[in-house]
Amino acid sequence: MKRFLPSCALLFILVIFSCKKEATKSLKVPEPSAGIFTNVGPQLTATTLQESAFAQDVSGKEYAYSVISGKPGHLVGYNMESGKIEVDLELGDADGSIAMVFTDNWLYIAANNAHLYRTRPGTNTLEDLGLVLPGQSTIMDLVAGKDGEVYGGTYPGARVFRYHPQSGFSDVGGGAVVAGESYVRSLAYQESTNKLYCGIGSHAALVVIDLATKAKKNILPSTYNRQEFVYYMGLAEGYATGDRLFAWVTSPEKRVTLIYNLNTETVEETLGTTDAHSLIKAPNSNLAYYTAENKLYSKDLNTPAQPATAITDCYEAKDMRWGKDGTLHILTKYSQVRRYNPATGQIVTVKYEVPPQPYDIQTLITGPDGRIWSSGYLAGGNAAYDPVADKVVQYAGLGQAEGMTVQGDNIYFGIYPAANFYVYDTKRPWNVSQGNPRNLGKIEGQDRPFAGASVADKGKLFFGTVPGYGKLGGALVEYTVSSGKLESYTGVVENQSVVSLLNYKGIIIGGTSISGGLGVSPSAPEAKLFAWSVDGKAKLYEITPVTKAWAITSLMLGPDEKIWGMADGTLFVFNPETKEVERTKKYYDLTGTPSHIWRNAFMLMHPNGNIYATFNSKFYKINANTLEASVLKEGVGLLAMDKQGRLYMRAAQNLWRYKP
């Protein structure tokens, strides 16, 4: 599923919970008798199509290919003649792909691990061509060039690579296409001029690269400089008056598609939101076809003043091509193949069934019903595991929850993108269409609500957010249950996101991150701990508990009734009465420069007197007196505890249980 990251999401898409290049010196070896670990298994499964493309084998047999997001991702090939899925291949260790292209009898797949794969259509072999460029984690788009070459755009370096079967990989842009940016989100190749058009984010630009001279030029009109992404692009070639480039320019506030004449280098007109990457010109007329808002449209691009014609209802097109039968073949995001005959107006639709796959756990909490609730990345949705019945139930209808918070019988969800909030009454059946969960509203300019804290005696909840792409400065959000009102306070700590919260005797204690949305560098030197008056609606004070820390990602009330927190790899104990940090313990150092840190540590006080924590992808037992830590398990994160004192964590798509 392609998704707008401003969705990521974009991101995307993408390696968004921890900094890159983190390293740690080992602590203690795992204890030989540390307790009992049980793999409870995947919690969430879905048929989530990320990308689809048409291809044909050497004999001309036509296939529709789709990538299903999961652990691992799968590439499935549907034979359009037999009506059956004939190919099902695992994408190595990648969880999916958001870009594919067919050229020179090869289908190329851009995996989410920044490796490029290829396969001959109709076969059951998949070749891993390797990492496209050093330091890149995700391939955002692919286009075919000439003579069997393909071009791809990457994150987080905003770079463009070329792959040719004879010469392998090369860096086309000579580093970042635009200095300081993170995404080459979309690409279009113009064969007649040998030019490559690059859609940039998190600060929108449209850069054309002359592949012969390597010269670059930003052609995005200055009117759109405040947008976040040039997200999708499509090219309609073969017009005597000039090829037309469709470019979808996006931000949370405004989304518009530009129709750019590449001969005159002008924007001829603008449309609303379209699925621009599915643009195609008719072979024997000036009509171009595209999908927008779940409809198929045609438009004569030689006559800008003429409105588009709506043809039929149609889900977002992932790919279009003209078939051997002369009809327009449309491959939709919901595994539909539609054939449209422009001469007769007839439309034939076939849906092919693809197998669901498990996907990553994004968030964990213990619900008021005693179940362990989770949300998923990237497909969203929720699941609840019953520790007593040993049963998991999935719940559809909500997007990716970055944070979940409990008050009374209710669970509050902070949903990405656009910081939307929902409340679910666990005493009533889950039914989104009937308002359970119920939408509470969203916070403009904010994107990811990771943090949450309940102040039950005052009938309030507080949430902390990370802003949108390319922006600094999160918000502290107050929700009043009786009035149903959301209030947002920005600048609580200037240019910092609010990523952890704790209710301490009716005062909100918050931890910040110097990271903002993806694609922007921090301006603040170190994370802060702050106190907020619930009644006075004002900040009481802020301190620096650990110098030069990027983020304070966990807060809890310790056994001494003081505030315990984790700042990067250092545990600190803060006395809110004296406003002093009384103890610190460093477990590891960051190395390199993180791309961002929003989440890392989770801590719980256990009834047995020990503190259990996950951070830096490890599960620890911490002695509350000495602060000495033992590693119990590696490769895990998040943390929750059931009523029996058993602890839960995630390892990718699997829920693990630990009984001390």
Side-chain angles (χ1 to χ4, degrees):
M1 178 179 66
K2 272 187 180 178
R3 65 179 292 188
F4 172 59
L5 285 187
S7 54
C8 42
L10 287 196
L11 84 221
F12 281 127
I13 296 177
L14 310 166
V15 193
I16 62 174
F17 309 128
S18 63
C19 64
K20 62 183 180 180
K21 298 182 181 177
E22 275 194 3
T24 177
K25 52 189 178 183
S26 61
L27 300 176
K28 294 183 179 179
V29 296
E31 297 180 8
S33 301
I36 301 172
F37 283 99
T38 304
N39 185 357
V40 176
Q43 299 297 286
L44 297 137
T45 59
T47 302
T48 305
L49 299 188
Q50 286 192 297
E51 179 63 332
S52 297
F54 288 113
Q56 61 187 47
D57 66 14
V58 292
S59 70
K61 188 182 298 182
E62 295 179 310
Y63 289 85
Y65 275 87
S66 293
V67 170
I68 310 166
S69 175
K71 285 289 185 174
H74 279 243
L75 175 70
V76 296
Y78 170 77
N79 186 323
M80 294 173 62
E81 196 173 284
S82 69
K84 297 179 180 178
I85 289 178
E86 296 184 354
V87 178
D88 189 347
L89 299 167
E90 290 187 2
L91 286 177
D93 62 355
D95 61 5
S97 166
I98 57 173
M100 289 196 291
V101 67
F102 175 70
T103 183
D104 198 32
N105 293 318
W106 287 103
L107 178 66
Y108 288 89
I109 305 100
N112 288 346
N113 59 2
H115 282 228
L116 186 66
Y117 292 79
R118 69 177 182 178
T119 185
R120 292 288 191 190
T123 70
N124 277 288
T125 59
L126 187 68
E127 182 181 359
D128 184 352
L129 300 173
L131 181 68
V132 295
L133 289 173
Q136 303 308 290
S137 63
T138 309
I139 306 168
M140 306 304 300
D141 202 8
L142 285 179
V143 291
K146 60 183 179 181
D147 302 325
E149 68 186 359
V150 295
Y151 294 94
T154 71
Y155 166 87
R159 297 166 72 182
V160 172
F161 69 87
R162 173 185 182 264
Y163 174 80
H164 192 278
Q166 302 303 318
S167 57
F169 295 105
S170 59
D171 186 342
V172 172
V177 175
V178 175
E181 294 300 333
S182 299
Y183 294 86
V184 174
R185 185 59 188 83
S186 55
L187 292 171
Y189 175 76
Q190 188 181 27
E191 184 176 7
S192 61
T193 62
N194 196 31
K195 291 181 178 179
L196 188 68
Y197 293 84
C198 309
I200 304 299
S202 299
H203 304 89
L206 176 54
V207 176
V208 55
I209 301 177
D210 186 319
L211 294 172
T213 67
K214 306 302 181 186
K216 303 174 189 175
K217 180 183 178 183
N218 182 14
I219 61 172
L220 185 69
S222 59
T223 308
Y224 303 99
N225 282 350
R226 294 181 64 84
Q227 299 290 96
E228 289 181 353
F229 283 84
V230 177
Y231 202 76
Y232 292 153
M233 290 198 293
L235 188 60
E237 299 180 274
Y239 287 95
T241 56
D243 295 344
R244 267 51 170 214
L245 180 73
F246 276 35
W248 186 33
V249 187
T250 69
S251 73
E253 294 77 29
K254 182 180 182 181
R255 302 182 182 188
V256 62
T257 300
L258 311 181
I259 303 180
Y260 196 94
N261 187 317
L262 297 183
N263 272 15
T264 64
E265 295 187 345
T266 58
V267 175
E268 291 182 327
E269 61 178 313
T270 61
L271 303 175
T273 293
T274 69
D275 310 317
H277 65 315
S278 59
L279 178 68
I280 192 169
K281 181 184 177 297
N284 301 314
S285 76
N286 286 325
L287 290 178
Y289 293 86
Y290 60 91
T291 56
E293 298 172 341
N294 292 329
K295 292 186 183 298
L296 174 67
Y297 288 88
S298 66
K299 182 174 174 60
D300 185 343
L301 297 182
N302 269 340
T303 57
Q306 181 179 328
T309 300
I311 297 171
T312 184
D313 291 339
C314 185
Y315 293 121
E316 175 186 330
K318 291 292 189 179
D319 196 14
M320 292 185 183
R321 64 173 290 175
W322 293 98
K324 294 184 296 184
D325 56 4
T327 65
L328 177 61
H329 293 182
I330 306 164
L331 182 54
T332 78
K333 69 180 293 184
Y334 296 113
S335 63
Q336 290 180 332
V337 175
R338 310 198 74 184
R339 292 180 172 90
Y340 168 64
N341 189 327
T344 65
Q346 184 182 20
I347 298 170
V348 177
T349 301
V350 176
K351 181 175 175 60
Y352 57 97
E353 297 298 329
V354 293
Q357 299 294 326
Y359 57 99
D360 278 357
I361 297 169
Q362 169 74 348
T363 312
L364 276 183
I365 65 160
T366 304
D369 52 6
R371 296 189 294 174
I372 306 302
W373 281 77
S374 56
S375 179
Y377 169 82
L378 163 80
N382 294 94
Y385 172 72
D386 187 333
V388 177
D390 190 27
K391 179 181 178 183
V392 62
V393 178
Q394 294 192 54
Y395 298 93
L398 295 188
Q400 177 179 310
E402 306 286 45
M404 295 186 282
T405 307
V406 170
Q407 186 177 100
D409 293 324
N410 296 330
I411 301 175
Y412 292 80
F413 300 87
I415 304 293
Y416 164 86
N420 270 282
F421 293 94
Y422 287 80
V423 59
Y424 168 58
D425 181 352
T426 60
K427 295 296 186 183
R428 296 168 47 222
W430 180 286
N431 191 319
V432 177
S433 64
Q434 295 183 12
N436 193 34
R438 172 171 54 90
N439 182 246
L440 305 177
K442 64 180 182 178
I443 305 301
E444 294 298 329
Q446 301 299 311
D447 224 15
R448 303 177 190 270
F450 285 112
S454 167
V455 187
D457 59 339
K458 295 182 182 295
K460 294 181 181 293
L461 293 101
F462 287 82
F463 309 100
T465 66
V466 174
Y469 288 80
K471 296 181 176 63
L472 292 170
L476 179 66
V477 179
E478 177 189 75
Y479 176 70
T480 303
V481 176
S482 60
S483 65
K485 183 180 179 182
L486 285 169
E487 291 185 80
S488 176
Y489 305 97
T490 56
V492 175
V493 178
E494 195 68 27
N495 290 329
Q496 299 203 32
S497 302
V498 180
V499 295
S500 56
L501 292 173
L502 173 69
N503 174 9
Y504 176 78
K505 299 180 180 179
I507 294 173
I508 292 297
I509 304 296
T512 70
S513 170
I514 62 174
S515 301
L518 292 176
V520 65
S521 298
S523 64
E526 56 196 3
K528 299 290 185 179
L529 189 74
F530 69 86
W532 180 268
S533 170
V534 175
D535 295 329
K537 298 180 183 291
K539 183 171 65 176
L540 300 173
Y541 59 86
E542 68 178 53
I543 69 157
T544 302
V546 176
T547 59
K548 298 182 180 179
W550 272 66
I552 300 167
T553 54
S554 182
L555 295 169
M556 76 168 197
L557 188 63
D560 51 7
E561 294 297 308
K562 295 172 185 175
I563 295 167
W564 291 45
M566 281 291 295
D568 297 352
T570 299
L571 187 149
F572 64 88
V573 178
F574 173 69
N575 187 331
E577 306 303 327
T578 63
K579 301 181 179 57
E580 292 181 350
V581 174
E582 296 183 344
R583 288 200 288 173
T584 62
K585 175 70 174 179
K586 181 182 287 188
Y587 299 112
Y588 71 96
D589 289 306
L590 297 181
T591 61
T593 302
S595 60
H596 63 279
I597 303 178
W598 297 330
R599 295 200 303 183
N600 178 25
F602 295 81
M603 297 190 296
L604 285 173
M605 189 71 211
H606 197 272
N608 67 12
N610 290 309
I611 293 166
Y612 291 90
T614 59
F615 52 87
N616 203 32
S617 299
K618 297 178 175 67
F619 176 48
Y620 299 87
K621 181 175 75 174
I622 300 174
N623 185 299
N625 295 318
T626 66
L627 304 188
E628 291 299 317
S630 301
V631 179
L632 302 182
K633 187 174 179 59
E634 298 193 1
V636 294
L638 308 180
L639 194 61
M641 182 169 63
D642 66 20
K643 293 179 179 179
Q644 290 76 39
R646 295 172 296 187
L647 296 146
Y648 296 81
M649 62 215 77
R650 67 106 191 264
Q653 78 275 27
N654 289 309
L655 181 67
W656 280 81
R657 181 174 63 218
Y658 173 73
K659 183 179 180 181

